[in-house]
Amino acid sequence: MPGQRDRRQPASTPTGSTGRTGRPRSTSRAEILAAARRVIDEDGWETLTVRRLAAEIGVGTTTLYHHVHNKDDLVVELVNQHLDQLARPELPDDPRERIIVAATTMHDALTNWPWAAEALTADGFIGRLGDSALWIVETIVAGAVAAGCTQEQAVDLFRNIWYYTVGEVLVRARSDRRRSDVGSADLAFGLRRLDPARQPQLAAIGDLWPERSALDLYPQVLRIIVDGLLAEAGRTV
């Protein structure tokens, strides 16, 4: 009828409009992990949030949650990806030496990524690791059992090695940053101010502290810890 619009024809659209909003941009897990690594390398893992990561990629947070559950899930995935790229060392026959090699591999991997050590400081993360990380845990625990430990003692041995390794990595990383910011001499300044009459030993070693703290004693101390734990386990079996 005249004066009525044909219902079969679509209504006119405003100039410059397509009449559709388009589909949200998609992303992949590989793209998410790469973006997360950039954020961590540039500003530290503490600044990594799902919201910031979504903005970095250019997607909505809802889209991101289709791929990762939370920040902890993301960090574990990054650690797994990092360890996937590392070659596994040849393991010796002696169980004690297998423990040493596996722990040293763990230490060296975390030294390159100290933020990963901090992110994995809470118990319960082991069950979320991939095969590239779990072989280290398995090797240490199996080595302890082969050396005469009970399963309980093997767990304790790994946990003690883990605590020492994480602590050493974090302290060294932060000390290196501080040393580069203020210089080695300033690190001992506080000890130099001590009263020799009240703290004679600390006052006397003030000048030695920066030099000694810069040394990498992890290999020697690791062997002492492993030998002590295995010896203690042998006495209490």
Side-chain angles (χ1 to χ4, degrees):
M1 295 178 62
Q4 291 185 333
R5 180 173 59 84
D6 188 346
R7 295 183 182 275
R8 294 174 299 176
Q9 299 299 321
S12 60
T13 57
T15 303
S17 171
T18 62
R20 59 183 180 181
T21 59
R23 300 178 63 183
R25 191 176 94 73
S26 61
T27 187
S28 66
R29 201 167 185 83
E31 183 182 12
I32 292 170
L33 293 178
R37 177 66 188 271
R38 287 196 304 271
V39 171
I40 292 173
D41 288 344
E42 293 173 4
D43 300 316
W45 82 275
E46 300 92 341
T47 67
L48 180 64
T49 64
V50 173
R51 184 180 298 277
R52 175 173 178 183
L53 187 56
E56 181 84 11
I57 300 173
V59 299
T61 55
T62 302
T63 300
L64 210 57
Y65 279 123
H66 287 309
H67 297 274
V68 294
H69 295 103
N70 50 42
K71 178 179 174 178
D72 290 342
D73 176 48
L74 185 61
V75 169
V76 171
E77 282 294 319
L78 284 169
V79 172
N80 286 331
Q81 183 189 63
H82 176 56
L83 293 175
D84 281 341
Q85 300 168 359
L86 299 180
R88 296 190 187 185
E90 184 176 347
L91 295 175
D93 294 332
D94 181 66
R96 171 184 175 273
E97 291 303 315
R98 289 203 299 273
I99 295 172
I100 298 294
V101 170
T104 301
T105 301
M106 176 173 65
H107 171 268
D108 293 347
L110 293 175
T111 297
N112 294 329
W113 271 21
W115 63 265
E118 188 166 355
L120 298 177
T121 50
D123 282 333
F125 70 90
I126 291 179
R128 302 170 65 187
L129 296 176
D131 289 343
S132 297
L134 285 176
W135 79 263
I136 296 176
V137 184
E138 172 69 20
T139 298
I140 293 175
V141 172
V145 171
C149 293
T150 64
Q151 290 181 327
E152 291 81 0
Q153 291 169 338
V155 172
D156 293 342
L157 181 138
F158 172 79
R159 284 166 58 86
N160 279 283
I161 291 175
W162 171 247
Y163 293 160
Y164 166 60
T165 301
V166 169
E168 199 273 346
V169 167
L170 293 179
V171 169
R172 183 165 298 281
R174 292 177 180 177
S175 297
D176 288 345
R177 287 199 298 267
R178 179 164 174 75
R179 191 176 290 108
S180 64
D181 291 339
V182 303
S184 297
D186 288 339
L187 294 179
F189 182 70
L191 292 177
R192 291 171 182 162
R193 294 186 303 174
L194 295 177
D195 182 358
R198 299 178 60 185
Q199 295 93 17
Q201 292 301 321
L202 290 177
I205 65 175
D207 290 335
L208 294 175
W209 202 278
E211 175 189 344
R212 302 307 300 175
S213 64
L215 296 177
D216 181 9
L217 299 177
Y218 180 83
Q220 298 94 307
V221 177
L222 173 65
R223 289 183 177 276
I224 293 171
I225 291 175
V226 171
D227 287 344
L229 291 171
L230 291 178
E232 180 65 23
R235 286 192 292 267
T236 58
V237 169

